[in-house]
Amino acid sequence: MASAETESQADVEPRRSASKREKARILDACKRKDVDALRDIAIASGGFLSDHLRSKAWPVLLGFGADAESESSTDTSDSWRQLPRHRDEEQVKLDVDRSFVYYPNDNSQAQLEEKKAKLSDLITQVLREQPYLCYFQGYHDICQVLLLVLPPPSRPLAVSRLSVLRIRDFMLPTLAPAISQLHLIPDILSAVDPALCAHLSRNEPYFALADTLTMFAHNVQRYSDIARLFDALLAREQVFSLYVFARIVLRRRAELLEHDEPDMLHFALSKLPPNLDLDAVIAEAAVLFETHPPESLRSWRRISRASVLKTTRDVGALSSQSLRDGQAFFDKQVRELRRAERNQKVMQVAWANRTLILTLLIGVGAIYLRRTSAWAGLTAWATKFGGN
């Protein structure tokens, strides 16, 4: 019996030592603001290990530099309450009422209500301070994870920088840029498994919208899992979430090939398996990213240069971007969307009046030809042809 206890202790001690070394490594990378080191740790098994360490690492990944206090548009006081109401605050209230469904599951109802009040204040503050942003349903799922991990003073700036610099494409006046991102998923699948991609091609990739839009926070039901997944998503490029989704699909190959009906396929793909090995998924997604980088994907060239997929392509450079930079990208994307909308309307009008336009073109062409020697030749040919 003593031998068994000795062996058990011998197994435990190396694990404790390894854990201490990992904690020290994480804290050292945070102290040095070493984004590359944190990125490697986030992909490795266990990620940042605990919420205490996440509360140190996530701000660094979100670009909290020495000049973080100079982000004057984010206030840690209550002065934001005096700002004009944001147009989406009613929807925020409705969604916050439905928050904290799966976690934390050890809180009393009074504690949950307190957290909902804090979540509402956090979201409202960010929207009032960045009034150009458009709220989307599922945004509260993301914010509640940051609220549970980060200390109160860090939350507003963290959520602001995440919103403006990482998930900006989802906070534009339309979801068109978010939809455009989804077409990268079939490109990834096609590069790895053309047969599976062909099987899924009967469905548009809208099945991935809820997960990619909410950084998987809407469907992941265990707090430890979503916190672990956020480690990787915050440490990597924004496009990495699409590789994670693609990797999950590839892992479900046999199951998905059993479904022939498009509706059943869509339903299956829109739900995550309950017991995902997230460490394995993250590691495999990282390999998939290196093997088939975004630039190799057919749909990548159609992504706007102002999209977060391209402005976060260098995670290190992200830390030097300001909220003002993010707003400039936002404004550029809005201009692109309006231009695309105008062009689409012109094409719709042209198609609706195609017969009239064709008639006018033929008429103009005839007038022009009458003024050239070609008209005389055509007239002579027609007369000769008619005489025969």
Side-chain angles (χ1 to χ4, degrees):
M1 188 71 176
S3 175
E5 290 177 356
T6 302
E7 288 176 1
S8 176
Q9 186 68 15
D11 289 339
V12 168
E13 286 303 326
R15 288 200 297 272
R16 286 178 178 169
S17 298
S19 178
K20 286 181 180 178
R21 287 195 299 272
E22 278 303 302
K23 290 177 182 177
R25 184 185 173 205
I26 294 168
L27 290 172
D28 178 63
C30 292
K31 184 178 179 180
R32 293 183 291 105
K33 293 183 169 53
D34 190 338
V35 173
D36 290 336
L38 289 174
R39 170 177 164 162
D40 292 341
I41 295 168
I43 298 302
S45 180
F48 297 132
L49 304 177
S50 71
D51 281 0
H52 170 69
L53 294 171
R54 290 184 178 104
S55 72
K56 307 292 184 184
W58 288 7
V60 176
L61 295 172
L62 287 168
F64 285 47
D67 60 342
E69 296 300 323
S70 69
E71 298 271 19
S72 57
S73 56
T74 298
D75 195 346
T76 55
S77 71
D78 275 351
S79 62
W80 62 268
R81 296 184 187 277
Q82 310 306 317
L83 295 172
R85 284 176 58 86
H86 189 276
R87 59 192 171 277
D88 296 326
E89 287 187 30
E90 284 303 316
Q91 186 60 54
V92 171
K93 183 179 184 303
L94 292 173
D95 286 352
V96 168
D97 286 344
R98 296 190 291 265
S99 61
F100 301 108
V101 174
Y102 299 122
Y103 50 79
N105 50 23
D106 58 349
N107 281 199
S108 66
Q109 188 59 39
Q111 289 173 316
L112 289 176
E113 291 302 321
E114 182 183 0
K115 283 184 170 59
K116 289 180 181 181
K118 290 178 179 178
L119 179 62
S120 179
D121 283 352
L122 176 61
I123 295 173
T124 304
Q125 178 180 354
V126 171
L127 292 178
R128 288 190 184 185
E129 291 176 344
Q130 322 297 332
Y132 57 91
L133 294 176
C134 302
Y135 177 83
F136 64 90
Q137 289 186 277
Y139 181 73
H140 69 291
D141 292 316
I142 299 173
C143 292
Q144 74 178 25
V145 178
L146 272 71
L147 182 142
L148 291 172
V149 170
L150 299 176
S154 299
R155 292 169 188 166
L157 185 53
V159 174
S160 292
R161 289 188 63 83
L162 178 75
S163 303
V164 176
L165 300 173
R166 301 277 320 216
I167 59 172
R168 180 180 62 249
D169 289 14
F170 308 149
M171 308 194 78
L172 289 158
T174 79
L175 282 178
I179 302 296
S180 295
Q181 291 187 16
L182 299 182
H183 291 285
L184 294 169
I185 294 175
D187 290 351
I188 299 169
L189 296 175
S190 178
V192 179
D193 192 334
L196 177 60
C197 183
H199 182 69
L200 303 181
S201 65
R202 289 171 290 175
N203 291 74
E204 289 291 326
Y206 302 143
F207 48 73
L209 186 60
D211 285 317
T212 55
L213 201 65
T214 66
M215 297 173 64
F216 296 88
H218 184 69
N219 282 331
V220 173
Q221 298 183 12
R222 282 197 295 262
Y223 174 66
S224 58
D225 286 347
I226 193 59
R228 167 68 190 101
L229 190 51
F230 266 46
D231 290 344
L233 297 181
L234 294 177
R236 294 295 304 246
E237 305 85 342
Q238 188 62 24
V239 73
F240 189 68
S241 62
L242 300 175
Y243 284 82
V244 170
F245 191 92
R247 188 63 252 178
I248 293 172
V249 171
L250 290 165
R251 281 176 145 251
R252 302 173 66 188
R253 185 182 199 276
E255 171 202 348
L256 295 173
L257 288 176
E258 291 177 358
H259 296 294
D260 290 325
E261 293 295 326
D263 289 347
M264 290 299 296
L265 266 177
H266 181 93
F267 179 79
L269 287 162
S270 63
K271 302 294 181 183
L272 292 177
N275 295 307
L276 277 172
D277 183 348
L278 284 176
D279 279 334
V281 167
I282 290 166
E284 291 166 5
V287 173
L288 190 59
F289 184 95
E290 296 303 321
T291 308
H292 304 284
E295 290 78 11
S296 69
L297 306 177
R298 182 180 58 182
S299 300
W300 182 253
R301 67 180 181 273
R302 292 196 286 270
I303 301 296
S304 166
R305 290 184 180 180
S307 165
V308 291
L309 296 193
K310 291 187 176 177
T311 60
T312 65
R313 188 64 180 88
D314 180 353
V315 180
L318 176 65
S319 61
S320 66
Q321 293 175 359
S322 68
L323 295 178
R324 196 170 289 109
D325 294 329
Q327 185 174 357
F329 288 132
F330 182 97
D331 291 341
K332 182 178 180 181
Q333 286 176 282
V334 169
R335 289 194 298 271
E336 291 174 349
L337 287 171
R338 287 174 179 167
R339 185 164 57 247
E341 186 178 355
R342 286 195 300 269
N343 292 342
Q344 184 178 20
K345 286 181 179 177
V346 168
M347 292 301 295
Q348 288 172 344
V349 170
W351 180 252
N353 297 279
R354 57 192 181 277
T355 303
L356 175 60
I357 292 172
L358 183 60
T359 301
L360 288 172
L361 287 174
I362 292 172
V364 171
I367 292 171
Y368 173 77
L369 286 172
R370 285 185 183 207
R371 296 175 180 175
T372 65
S373 58
W375 179 259
L378 284 171
T379 303
W381 177 83
T383 302
K384 181 180 178 182
F385 184 80
N388 293 337

